[in-house]
Amino acid sequence: MHQVPTPLPDEHAVSIIYRWFQMTRFETLESFIQVNGCSSKLNSPRRLWCPLYSELAHALLSKYSLADFISKFTNIHDYSLFLDESAFQGLSIETILKKLSTFKFSNALNVLQDKYWRYCPECANEDEQKYGTTYLHVAHQCLYKRVCNKHSVLLEELASCHVSLPPSNNLSILASQSDIEKDVALLGWVSELTDTPPEERKLRVLNLLRQKACVYSYDRKNPYQVQRVQYMQNILAKRFNSSVYKRYFDWGKLTSGHYPLNSSGGLMHFLEPEKHFHPMFYLMLIDLFLTRDEFNLSLEFLLNTSNIRREIPPVVLPLDIRELVKASAA
């Protein structure tokens, strides 16, 4: 890359690439990418890394190290919140990024904010006036955000799956108090998890969720286990449907046994640490069933990885079976 545009405050890498494309003679971004020999798809924030990001990072190497580039201009850290980093041990950062370029979260779960690039109409208007162009902000692509912190308005999605710069002069929609509070709550959880060693985050969270559900295995021949898992499914569905979380998800086509709101085996799949489901789903389960005090209390105990079902001593009280029966019947 030559004569790359100077990055604007909090600008996402894909936005810098698009502004660079605008400076060329090419009519479409696709033709521009094809001629430059990069098999990059820029249609979704869920694409953690792509060859064009590598080209851009190299072009900005005199100003930013690769680590700084990743931190400032991408959302890789958001998406890798629950990834098992031990799988990347001993690999160079270039090899890790190449692996992330092909990474896909398992099952048919689709998160709305993953499918489209997002922007704040108020920020777009301000950027147009101040810098002469709109652009995509890194902060607005966080998978757990629906609200612009600066203006307290809902983030809008670009009209298509194809990347472009945000339109200007669009009307904004004021966020509700519940939307704002949920954004704050999720950010708090992300901060708590970020301060936890990466290799421990998912194990601790799933262990606490098992303790809260009091479900460690699922044997279809065991009536008690079957009943308790089904009760937990009902509780999960009720809490989900009464929260703002429905606005975060587009479930799409369902995969048998992987959909936790109507399959008794679905929840058990999401409690398996080796599974790599979308991080937004884990954040939702954490927020629906756990408290910060419970999570912080678990940090006082060392992990016992010799028993993957009970890695830490019981630190949370399970939901009372009588409460489950009452809630299930409601």
Side-chain angles (χ1 to χ4, degrees):
M1 284 187 173
H2 302 285
Q3 298 179 331
V4 174
T6 301
L8 298 171
D10 190 45
E11 185 172 18
H12 195 283
V14 75
S15 182
I16 304 172
I17 291 172
Y18 194 89
R19 290 198 297 119
W20 183 51
F21 148 71
Q22 287 183 318
M23 297 164 54
T24 68
R25 59 182 174 81
F26 296 98
E27 293 184 1
T28 66
L29 180 62
E30 289 74 18
S31 62
F32 166 76
I33 293 174
Q34 185 177 8
V35 168
N36 280 272
C38 291
S39 57
S40 296
K41 293 184 179 180
L42 308 175
N43 59 327
S44 168
R46 183 165 39 188
R47 298 189 179 277
L48 280 67
W49 193 254
C50 66
L52 271 178
Y53 290 175
S54 297
E55 294 289 331
L56 179 60
H58 182 75
L60 297 174
L61 199 56
S62 62
K63 295 182 179 179
Y64 307 98
S65 67
L66 184 56
D68 288 338
F69 176 87
I70 292 171
S71 179
K72 289 181 68 69
F73 304 117
T74 77
N75 293 94
I76 283 182
H77 294 307
D78 294 333
Y79 287 89
S80 61
L81 196 62
F82 295 104
L83 287 183
D84 181 7
E85 297 190 2
S86 64
F88 302 116
Q89 284 183 356
L91 300 179
S92 67
I93 189 168
E94 289 80 8
T95 304
I96 293 174
L97 293 174
K98 187 174 182 180
K99 282 181 172 289
L100 290 177
S101 69
T102 60
F103 185 82
K104 294 181 180 179
F105 297 104
S106 59
N107 104 325
L109 182 66
N110 295 312
V111 181
L112 275 175
Q113 289 129 306
D114 268 355
K115 295 169 65 176
Y116 303 97
W117 296 97
R118 301 177 302 283
Y119 70 96
C120 164
E122 299 298 325
C123 286
N125 294 335
E126 292 178 1
D127 295 339
E128 180 75 44
Q129 294 176 9
K130 188 172 182 178
Y131 303 109
T133 181
T134 63
Y135 63 92
L136 293 168
H137 289 242
V138 173
H140 296 159
Q141 313 314 318
C142 294
L143 57 93
Y144 47 86
K145 288 200 63 61
R146 294 190 72 247
V147 178
C148 173
N149 288 347
K150 183 177 180 181
H151 299 101
S152 297
V153 300
L154 293 178
L155 298 176
E156 299 290 336
E157 300 167 351
L158 290 179
S160 71
C161 290
H162 300 290
V163 64
S164 64
L165 299 184
S168 56
N169 299 319
N170 273 16
L171 296 177
S172 58
I173 300 176
L174 198 64
S176 68
Q177 188 59 36
S178 61
D179 286 317
I180 295 173
E181 290 174 353
K182 189 54 62 183
D183 257 42
V184 172
L186 292 177
L187 178 59
W189 277 114
V190 170
S191 298
E192 295 276 5
L193 291 163
T194 303
D195 291 337
T196 307
E199 66 276 7
E200 296 184 6
R201 293 170 190 163
K202 195 172 185 180
L203 289 176
R204 288 189 182 277
V205 164
L206 295 187
N207 185 250
L208 291 177
L209 288 172
R210 291 193 198 100
Q211 290 184 19
K212 178 63 73 171
C214 198
V215 172
Y216 295 91
S217 59
Y218 182 62
D219 181 0
R220 294 181 182 276
K221 296 181 180 180
N222 186 322
Y224 174 80
Q225 288 185 11
V226 171
Q227 186 180 49
R228 186 164 187 97
V229 171
Q230 188 59 61
Y231 283 150
M232 289 305 302
Q233 294 290 144
N234 294 337
I235 293 293
L236 172 59
K238 290 179 184 298
R239 292 188 179 182
F240 175 86
N241 289 326
S242 63
S243 72
V244 299
Y245 277 115
K246 288 192 291 186
R247 305 174 194 173
Y248 285 84
F249 292 94
D250 173 21
W251 297 105
K253 295 180 180 179
L254 307 184
T255 302
S256 178
H258 282 203
Y259 187 52
L261 302 186
N262 72 347
S263 166
S264 58
L267 182 62
M268 300 307 297
H269 283 280
F270 286 95
L271 296 180
E272 294 295 336
E274 66 273 12
K275 301 288 187 180
H276 293 303
F277 296 110
H278 193 280
M280 184 63 207
F281 198 90
Y282 292 115
L283 286 175
M284 183 194 79
L285 290 176
I286 293 169
D287 193 54
L288 287 179
F289 288 104
L290 300 178
T291 67
R292 301 278 173 75
D293 288 342
E294 289 172 334
F295 181 75
N296 290 332
L297 181 61
S298 75
L299 298 178
E300 298 180 9
F301 298 91
L302 295 176
L303 283 170
N304 175 20
T305 54
S306 63
N307 185 345
I308 202 166
R309 295 295 174 188
R310 300 178 186 269
E311 299 93 349
I312 56 177
V315 294
V316 299
L317 290 176
L319 291 172
D320 192 299
I321 190 68
R322 290 167 296 183
E323 295 179 12
L324 299 182
V325 173
K326 185 185 301 183
S328 181

